[in-house]
Amino acid sequence: EYDSNKPNNHDKIICDFILKETLGKGTFGVVKLAVNSQTGEKVSIKIINESKLPKEEKLNFLREIEILRNLKHPNVIRLYSHISKEKQLYLITEYIKGIELLQYISLKKKIPESEACIYFQQIISGLEYLHKMGIVHRDIKPENILVDHHLKEIKIIDFGLSNKYTKNSNLLSTLCGSPLYAAPEVLQGRGYKPRPVDIWSCGVES
């Protein structure tokens, strides 16, 4: 009988985690499903090839780790740990059984208003928490929202473009995010306040 908590000949093991199927792919790495061989818990592991990572992208990745390690909210992806091994960076987060909001919208064609309101309220709740923690996401879009439509729950993911700020911080100036969802002041390359750019993206997304 097959035991998913035990490795087979094709599985790669990182510390106590048995790597399984690929959940997604990005420019500089992949996201894998993994199982803790000691507890049986499923997690997601983002794997980045450090040797192929441009300097700026590596700084973004390290900043993402620094930001996520202090976050705990039901609508924000949870970071458990990170590992650096053999020129590979591993970001271990909670496993969400769901799909990107963009995929869900494409499948459904039209989401009922009552259901859309549930998801939108959760997105705003997650952003309110992030802003209280002094963090701006800067890339809110359906691709960065995971949805479990059975439980009617969402998680905000992908903090690669996020940054910290304080009430006394200067205006941010980095041109980043996705053009279709970015606020005008971001695209114009001038200074912008952190919180409004996330709110703008939510308005476009809805």
Side-chain angles (χ1 to χ4, degrees), residues 81-193:
S81 180
H82 67 279
I83 301 168
S84 179
K85 184 178 181 181
E86 298 175 352
K87 294 185 178 181
Q88 296 277 85
L89 295 171
Y90 301 88
L91 194 63
I92 304 165
T93 66
E94 64 179 313
Y95 169 65
I96 309 301
K97 189 177 181 180
I99 59 176
E100 292 177 0
L101 181 57
L102 181 65
Q103 292 175 290
Y104 185 56
I105 293 171
S106 298
L107 289 172
K108 293 280 287 187
K109 304 301 181 184
K110 184 178 181 181
I111 299 178
E113 184 176 346
S114 58
E115 185 179 356
C117 284
I118 293 172
Y119 298 144
F120 190 73
Q121 288 170 350
Q122 292 182 53
I123 293 170
I124 294 299
S125 177
L127 280 181
E128 181 182 31
Y129 168 76
L130 292 175
H131 294 164
K132 285 182 178 178
M133 295 290 287
I135 294 164
V136 57
H137 188 279
R138 296 198 295 191
D139 200 17
I140 293 294
K141 57 183 179 180
E143 295 94 319
N144 288 337
I145 306 291
L146 288 184
V147 56
D148 184 333
H149 62 278
H150 297 295
L151 298 177
K152 297 295 188 289
E153 291 180 351
I154 67 97
K155 297 280 184 178
I156 299 173
I157 64 170
D158 200 341
F159 284 71
L161 297 178
S162 60
N163 208 342
K164 296 180 179 180
Y165 68 93
T166 67
K167 290 182 178 180
N168 299 320
S169 295
N170 294 326
L171 296 178
L172 299 179
S173 58
T174 303
L175 177 59
C176 62
S178 303
L180 292 177
Y181 298 95
E185 59 267 35
V186 176
L187 297 177
Q188 290 168 5
R190 54 188 175 89
Y192 54 88
K193 294 180 180 179

Side-chain angles (χ1 to χ4, degrees), residues 3-152:
D3 185 348
S4 63
N5 295 345
K6 294 181 180 180
N8 59 44
N9 294 334
H10 304 290
D11 289 332
K12 183 177 180 180
I13 301 175
I14 302 297
C15 295
D16 289 331
F17 298 99
I18 306 166
L19 299 185
K20 298 295 183 179
E21 65 263 28
T22 298
L23 299 176
K25 293 184 178 181
T27 306
F28 302 107
V30 299
V31 178
K32 292 271 190 180
L33 170 66
V35 178
N36 188 313
S37 60
Q38 304 299 315
T39 66
E41 180 184 13
K42 291 182 178 180
V43 298
S44 295
I45 300 185
K46 181 188 285 189
I47 306 171
I48 304 293
N49 188 330
E50 192 172 3
S51 63
K52 296 183 179 180
L53 201 60
K55 183 178 180 180
E56 184 177 349
E57 291 296 334
K58 183 176 181 179
L59 292 175
N60 288 342
F61 188 72
L62 295 176
R63 184 170 58 202
E64 180 178 6
I65 293 173
E66 181 62 29
I67 286 173
L68 282 175
R69 68 194 305 175
N70 296 314
L71 299 182
K72 188 176 182 181
H73 186 277
N75 301 122
V76 176
I77 193 75
R78 183 80 186 275
L79 172 67
Y80 293 142
S81 180
H82 67 279
I83 301 168
S84 179
K85 184 178 181 181
E86 298 175 352
K87 294 185 178 181
Q88 296 277 85
L89 295 171
Y90 301 88
L91 194 63
I92 304 165
T93 66
E94 64 179 313
Y95 169 65
I96 309 301
K97 189 177 181 180
I99 59 176
E100 292 177 0
L101 181 57
L102 181 65
Q103 292 175 290
Y104 185 56
I105 293 171
S106 298
L107 289 172
K108 293 280 287 187
K109 304 301 181 184
K110 184 178 181 181
I111 299 178
E113 184 176 346
S114 58
E115 185 179 356
C117 284
I118 293 172
Y119 298 144
F120 190 73
Q121 288 170 350
Q122 292 182 53
I123 293 170
I124 294 299
S125 177
L127 280 181
E128 181 182 31
Y129 168 76
L130 292 175
H131 294 164
K132 285 182 178 178
M133 295 290 287
I135 294 164
V136 57
H137 188 279
R138 296 198 295 191
D139 200 17
I140 293 294
K141 57 183 179 180
E143 295 94 319
N144 288 337
I145 306 291
L146 288 184
V147 56
D148 184 333
H149 62 278
H150 297 295
L151 298 177
K152 297 295 188 289

